[in-house]
Amino acid sequence: MNKLLLAALVSGAMAVPAFAADYTIMAPAAPGGGWDQTARSIQEALTAEGISGNVQVTNVPGAGGTIGLAQFATQESGNANALIVGGYVMVGAILTNASPVTLDNITPIARLIGESDVIVVPANSELQSMDDLVAKLKADPGSVSWAGGSAGGVDHIIAGLVAKAVGVDPTKVNYIAYSGGGEALAAVLGGQVTVGISGYGEFESQIAAGELRALAMSGENQMDGIPTLSETGVDVTVENWRMIAAAPDITDEQKAAITADIKKMAESATWKSILETKGWVDMYLDGDAFDTQLAADIESTTTVLKDIGLVQ
Amino acid sequence: MDTFGLLAAGFAAALQWQNLIYAFIGVTLGTAVGVLPGIGPALTVALLLPVTYRLDPAGSLIMFAGIYYGGMYGGSTTSILLNTPGESASIVTALEGNKMARKGRGGPALATAAIGSFVAGLIATLAMAFVAPWLVRIAISFGPADYFALMVLAFVTVSAAFGDSALRGVTALFIGLGLGVIGIDLQTGQARLAFGIPDLLDGIEVTTLAVALFAIGETLVVAAARGGLDDDIVAVKGSIWMTMEDWKRSWPAWLRGTLIGFPIGAMPAGGAEIGTFFSYAAERRLTKHPEEFGHGAIEGVAGPEAANNASAAGTLMPLLTLGLPTTATAAIMLAGFQQFGLQPGPLLFTNNAQLVWALIASLLVANFMLLVLNLPLIGVWVRLLTVPKPWLYAGILLFATLGTLGANGAMSGNLFGLRFSFELMMLLGFGILGYVLRRFGYPIAPVVIGLILGPLSEQQLRRALAISQGDPMVLVHSPLAISLYVIAAAAVLVPLWFRLRGKGQVFSQLAADED
Amino acid sequence: MTTGSNPQRRPDGAAFVIALILAGIAVVIFWQTSIMRLPAHQARVGPQVFPYAIAGGLLLLAIGTAVSAWRGSFPARPRENYGPALWIVGGLLGQILLVSSLGFSLASGVLVACTAKAFGRGPMWFTFLCGAVFAFIVWFIFARGLQLSLPAGPLERLIP
């Protein structure tokens, strides 16, 4: 056994040289998840570009990131070396879990990447376009079953927003929650549900293969010729973005320094090539523009979660 | 090129000498980390995946295959020898395997697990290569109602793990079901039984419960029974190799386990552990040595281990052909594949044929390498039992807490200003529960099974009814669901009928209430 | 506590306690589920059905356990030594409470020392030292080699 451990040690040592930590990034998710991958990609880019000598990633999973968020806000206050990864999912989770710590308790730095949701139907579905779906939804909301991620998550929120935008009672949305987009994909492919709604990446290859028909994207821009919801006459624009934030109570100079580091990283070749391999869309946005965007997202999410009946 | 030609090309890539070395390192690392109690395959793969990034695509792929199979296999070693499974899929292995180890038959138990894993891995990987697209079509046609029927069947088979009292077995199952309710309800987003504690919102982690009940509970039992006469473990009695009798009893179990595990692993909502339950139940029904079950029957190790590995290969099918990760391990692997430039999905076999076939060949090579590595090591592993108890159990506790901390490092508790990990506190609490349950003769496995099956069956039932807008007839709508219910009914009624006919010594134990 | 080993099959007090605990859990599930907030859109099988069914089952099992305890049909329990088990529980508690401040190695040293004590191995300063050194090596492999996030303390911070 000792020999085996030694082997682990040797190959581990090859992988990571040890330096003093410049930044610690908290991924408020389990190893392997989306936020963990984001945190580790930032780690890779920061070190490879020489922006930071060493970056450590810590994982604090649980409750849509709110457990990590609470721990970060209370323990890292004023620490200019501490960063946390977060995203739109956290906005919803803070509301549904009635989390005492919110995004106001940390210092958002920049939105880094984003992904648009896509609404799909099986190739043999009678629904040809978004118009058909809207008509069916108006005729009998219960007859349209939506497969997506967990209740109160971004997929559910978009389904609720779509219903509301076309004048259907959002509480009547027949939303079937699956654990993760993968299971939802199986349900759509197997024809178990009427439509599927999840991140574009989850459905991308099936759309390309012609197994699924994409009706609309939830984001601002078209992807591969798929129209956005606004273009189909449904006034909804939501992107599932991921961001990086710093600790509360840091000085403006410290915030500016972190923002500069992150901006440098986001413009680096390493970061671009990571986005390429992971299939992530660059949505870099910082400063006041990001703050405005964040406030708008929080407001619309609060309204729709109340409309769906998940938040009081 | 036809399938054989592609596979041959894949082998040509995998069998280069430096790739063989990578495979060997991968298998060694996977086994070394996977063997630690409390560290399951998902964490093993997540931890070791970055190690592979430094190599060229073919090399990293083959090393990764080794890590995956090594991690899957490593878990069974400690569950057999020390009764401390590191993940839910090797719980069933511990049932009979540990009884064998206590009788000095740890060698044959490890051997049948290793060879069974190899046989299952071989058949399942080959099956994956040839029938993947076709089987996946069938698998996705499974609707929520069919899954619910499958869960009903699984509940029926749980009785095989009940031990000598149905009352205590059902109680253990219900404790698990009760734990399964805790957390945010997936369908409505509302918290259930969370008592306002944020850490409970995600529910009870199966790994934490399994490691606590088995590893911590076992340690407490051994410590409390110190000086007791019945606890002397014999490290080795007789040969550490399998006898002719062992072979004869093992090979049908390997094949049955493979047959059960592979399709269940391939289902988008199957999961490795359910295959092991079915396999154990099947072996228990079909054995010619029913009296040995519960006391170290080799079929009870051979079948579930094969099922576990076959479903691990089965899991790769929806992953590769649909881009559909069905387990935590698979989700991490998906991230890995993207790193290697593989984009799983329906176009994978056409767009990335070369890499896919290299992966399949790598899996076969890794599988073989695993056997080569582990058979000679059995002698070393068995000697684990001769490690003095203070060090052995201190090590088990150390790695159990390390695995739990590594998977969930949140320091969210606070006691007198000391911050602590709530997850570790749960580990301790469930460990004490495990001790109490054992002390009063309750079986442990049904608690974990309840925690796994409860939420699955509830979600599938509610999905089925939501899609049908409340029409209960949807549950018996498909021929598949109906046949599953018929099998479940037969599994309950046939033994009962035998018993009423007075021929039922074989089955009486299963249904007997007390004593 | 040794009534179970009595061939006369007298009622088993400890088993009655188990029956009571099961009934208590059932009541808690009933109560917590009944005060749960429900979403506006009601499904036929909502989030309360399973908890209620499980609570009902636990109540029945509590009754069954009570009957079984009355008949004294629980398996015999050997007399046990609680001291060593308490040492282990204490060691785990110590590690859990100390790990965030002392770091993984030193806190695990406490765990190892207490476990060794439970199994009759000492002296504790020696086992603590062995445990801390071993845990430090393990920490180094996992935290530095494999990037697992494990709590660091004064000892771990010595390594730059």
Side-chain angles (χ1 to χ4, degrees):
Chain A
M1 178 132 176
N2 283 333
K3 270 185 196 154
L4 297 181
L5 284 176
L6 195 67
L9 177 68
V10 168
S11 66
M14 285 190 316
V16 184
F19 293 118
D22 283 353
Y23 279 118
T24 44
I25 306 176
M26 178 186 286
W35 284 338
D36 178 62
Q37 285 183 48
T38 311
R40 287 177 198 275
S41 303
I42 296 170
Q43 174 189 37
E44 189 184 331
L46 283 175
T47 43
E49 293 290 328
I51 300 168
S52 171
N54 185 29
V55 181
Q56 298 285 333
V57 173
T58 60
N59 296 89
V60 181
T66 53
I67 291 181
L69 178 70
Q71 185 171 328
F72 183 81
T74 51
Q75 285 164 26
E76 304 291 356
S77 181
N79 179 356
N81 292 330
L83 300 173
I84 185 171
V85 168
Y88 185 66
V89 174
M90 211 179 238
V91 173
I94 288 168
L95 293 163
T96 47
N97 301 342
S99 165
V101 176
T102 69
L103 295 183
D104 293 338
N105 299 83
I106 58 172
T107 313
I109 297 292
R111 183 178 73 184
L112 293 174
I113 50 178
E115 186 179 46
S116 178
D117 257 27
V118 61
I119 299 173
V120 296
V121 292
N124 60 5
S125 165
E126 53 178 34
L127 303 174
Q128 295 297 330
S129 67
M130 201 60 205
D131 290 343
D132 293 347
L133 175 61
V134 169
K136 192 172 164 70
L137 202 59
K138 280 182 172 168
D140 179 6
S143 71
V144 178
S145 47
W146 303 70
S150 57
V154 58
D155 307 335
H156 193 182
I157 289 171
I158 294 172
L161 286 170
V162 167
K164 200 177 158 195
V166 301
V168 170
D169 180 359
T171 60
K172 295 275 188 329
V173 169
N174 190 1
Y175 187 79
I176 319 291
Y178 286 84
S179 39
E183 255 190 84
L185 170 62
V188 187
L189 284 176
Q192 316 293 341
V193 290
T194 321
V195 297
I197 178 160
S198 194
Y200 184 61
E202 306 269 7
F203 293 149
E204 190 179 6
S205 60
Q206 301 290 340
I207 296 169
E211 300 279 338
L212 295 177
R213 179 164 54 246
L215 300 183
M217 306 287 297
S218 73
E220 272 172 51
N221 303 310
Q222 286 197 356
M223 292 278 267
D224 302 332
I226 304 162
T228 65
L229 277 170
S230 331
E231 286 167 355
T232 61
V234 181
D235 186 20
V236 173
T237 308
V238 177
E239 306 249 14
N240 184 10
W241 43 263
R242 292 181 197 152
M243 65 158 180
I244 186 120
D249 300 327
I250 54 170
T251 64
D252 288 345
E253 294 78 42
Q254 286 169 331
K255 185 182 174 186
I258 296 169
T259 311
D261 277 354
I262 295 298
K263 193 176 172 75
K264 194 172 165 200
M265 179 214 73
E267 285 164 355
S268 70
T270 315
W271 182 247
K272 303 275 184 222
S273 87
I274 290 170
L275 296 188
E276 182 81 17
T277 40
K278 301 262 186 196
W280 291 341
V281 180
D282 192 351
M283 285 187 61
Y284 186 82
L285 189 69
D286 62 10
D288 292 340
F290 178 46
D291 292 342
T292 316
Q293 167 72 38
L294 191 57
D297 269 350
I298 292 173
E299 196 193 324
S300 70
T301 309
T302 313
T303 319
V304 75
L305 284 174
K306 278 184 181 157
D307 289 342
I308 303 172
L310 286 175
V311 171
Q312 277 172 339
Chain B
M1 265 197 282
D2 62 352
T3 307
F4 285 100
L6 288 161
L7 189 59
F11 267 115
L15 287 175
Q16 283 164 12
W17 68 269
Q18 74 267 39
N19 285 347
L20 287 177
I21 292 173
Y22 291 145
F24 185 76
I25 296 174
V27 167
T28 312
L29 283 176
T31 312
V33 178
V35 82
L36 302 173
I39 302 182
L43 193 55
T44 307
V45 173
L47 282 176
L48 294 174
L49 194 56
V51 176
T52 65
Y53 291 165
R54 318 268 146 174
L55 311 173
D56 62 282
S60 53
L61 210 57
I62 192 164
M63 190 185 217
F64 172 75
I67 290 169
Y68 179 53
Y69 274 170
M72 291 301 296
Y73 174 77
S76 62
T77 306
T78 40
S79 73
I80 288 172
L81 292 177
L82 307 171
N83 203 13
T84 57
E87 36 119 13
S88 46
S90 47
I91 285 168
V92 175
T93 311
L95 286 179
E96 299 299 323
N98 187 247
K99 293 276 163 38
M100 286 182 72
R102 277 165 189 275
K103 287 183 180 167
R105 307 227 322 124
L110 288 174
T112 198
I115 303 169
S117 297
F118 172 73
V119 170
L122 182 70
I123 297 174
T125 311
L126 283 174
M128 179 176 76
F130 291 96
V131 303
W134 172 76
L135 195 61
V136 162
R137 283 285 129 207
I138 298 177
I140 58 165
S141 71
F142 261 53
D146 304 309
Y147 277 117
F148 181 68
L150 186 72
M151 297 304 148
V152 170
L153 179 60
F155 272 120
V156 169
T157 60
V158 172
S159 62
F162 275 178
D164 52 9
S165 155
L167 172 72
R168 289 192 292 275
V170 174
T171 308
L173 181 69
F174 266 76
I175 292 174
L177 291 174
L179 291 173
V181 173
I182 293 174
I184 293 174
D185 170 43
L186 186 64
Q187 296 303 321
T188 60
Q190 302 303 314
R192 295 192 295 190
L193 294 175
F195 307 99
I197 302 169
D199 301 77
L200 288 178
L201 289 176
D202 280 353
I204 307 286
E205 188 62 47
V206 176
T207 317
T208 304
L209 181 74
V211 169
L213 288 178
F214 282 91
I216 315 273
E218 176 78 10
T219 308
L220 290 172
V221 167
V222 173
R226 188 163 60 93
L229 293 173
D230 56 339
D231 204 60
D232 284 322
I233 301 173
V234 193
V236 183
K237 199 168 87 184
S239 168
I240 66 163
W241 297 110
M242 292 164 68
T243 61
M244 275 312 284
E245 167 82 6
D246 290 336
W247 278 96
K248 250 166 64 190
R249 289 173 60 179
S250 288
W251 72 262
W254 292 334
L255 296 182
R256 278 192 293 264
T258 308
L259 218 61
I260 293 169
F262 183 63
I264 289 180
M267 280 183 229
E273 56 283 284
I274 293 172
T276 64
F277 306 158
F278 282 138
S279 168
Y280 182 73
E283 294 310 323
R284 193 164 180 149
R285 292 280 151 100
L286 295 171
T287 181
K288 293 194 182 75
H289 309 270
E291 73 288 348
E292 280 187 29
F293 265 81
H295 306 282
I298 195 164
E299 299 96 327
V301 182
E305 259 315 291
N308 183 5
N309 260 51
S311 74
T315 306
L316 288 172
M317 287 205 313
L319 184 66
L320 290 175
T321 55
L322 299 176
L324 188 68
T326 55
T327 60
T329 319
I332 295 163
M333 290 170 62
L334 184 62
F337 286 156
Q338 284 163 349
Q339 198 82 8
F340 304 143
L342 280 173
Q343 192 59 52
L347 301 178
L348 178 73
F349 278 81
T350 35
N351 289 355
N352 292 89
Q354 215 183 344
L355 270 176
V356 177
W357 289 100
L359 173 70
I360 290 172
S362 303
L363 287 168
L364 289 168
V365 170
N367 193 29
F368 181 71
M369 203 70 97
L370 196 63
L371 190 71
V372 172
L373 177 76
N374 277 292
L375 282 181
L377 272 180
I378 286 173
V380 180
W381 293 132
V382 173
R383 300 244 296 278
L384 259 184
L385 293 176
T386 61
V387 173
K389 276 185 189 170
W391 304 125
L392 180 64
Y393 285 99
I396 290 174
L397 295 180
L398 181 77
F399 283 112
T401 51
L402 176 129
T404 309
L405 266 180
N408 185 349
M411 293 288 164
S412 46
N414 197 320
L415 192 72
F416 309 124
L418 282 174
R419 289 188 291 109
F420 66 88
S421 154
F422 189 82
E423 197 77 10
L424 276 185
M425 219 38 123
M426 285 209 286
L427 188 80
L428 175 60
F430 289 136
I432 296 171
L433 174 71
Y435 169 74
V436 174
L437 289 178
R438 271 168 227 242
R439 174 111 179 99
F440 287 88
Y442 285 90
I444 299 291
V447 182
V448 187
I449 296 173
L451 179 65
I452 296 168
L453 290 184
L456 278 178
S457 56
E458 179 187 7
Q459 294 304 328
Q460 299 293 8
L461 175 67
R462 287 171 58 196
R463 275 182 200 135
L465 290 176
I467 293 171
S468 75
Q469 298 188 63
D471 178 9
M473 289 311 288
V474 72
L475 296 179
V476 287
H477 202 67
S478 83
L480 187 68
I482 295 169
S483 6
L484 287 168
Y485 287 125
V486 169
I487 299 172
V492 176
L493 297 177
V494 169
L496 222 70
W497 183 72
F498 268 106
R499 199 150 70 107
L500 290 176
R501 294 275 307 264
K503 292 178 182 173
Q505 286 93 340
V506 176
F507 300 108
S508 61
Q509 229 187 348
L510 293 170
D513 188 310
E514 276 143 276
D515 304 335
Chain C
M1 288 299 284
T2 51
T3 45
S5 58
N6 189 330
Q8 295 296 313
R9 305 209 141 200
R10 283 190 291 136
D12 184 337
F16 271 118
V17 176
I18 293 184
L20 270 180
I21 294 173
L22 290 176
I25 297 173
V27 170
V28 169
I29 297 180
F30 265 121
W31 167 57
Q32 282 288 315
T33 308
S34 67
I35 61 170
M36 186 181 157
R37 204 165 63 74
L38 292 173
H41 179 69
Q42 262 307 342
R44 175 166 309 181
V45 176
Q48 293 178 304
V49 174
F50 263 66
Y52 280 145
I54 292 166
L58 280 170
L59 217 51
L60 290 178
L61 289 164
I63 296 168
T65 307
V67 171
S68 179
W70 179 254
R71 285 164 45 187
S73 50
F74 267 76
R77 294 188 291 278
R79 188 179 280 281
E80 295 220 302
N81 239 332
Y82 290 108
L86 286 177
W87 269 108
I88 289 174
V89 172
L92 278 166
L93 260 180
Q95 189 217 29
I96 292 168
L97 293 177
L98 295 174
V99 79
S100 70
S101 46
L102 291 188
F104 184 74
S105 315
L106 293 178
S108 299
V110 174
L111 171 66
V112 170
C114 290
T115 310
K117 171 86 183 164
F119 286 98
R121 182 70 63 103
M124 281 185 83
W125 66 264
F126 174 71
T127 50
F128 169 78
L129 216 62
C130 293
V133 168
F134 179 69
F136 185 72
I137 298 169
V138 170
W139 179 88
F140 186 82
I141 295 170
F142 280 88
R144 282 295 156 81
L146 299 174
Q147 296 289 300
L148 188 68
S149 63
L150 288 172
L155 196 60
E156 287 83 359
R157 292 200 194 97
L158 287 180
I159 297 192

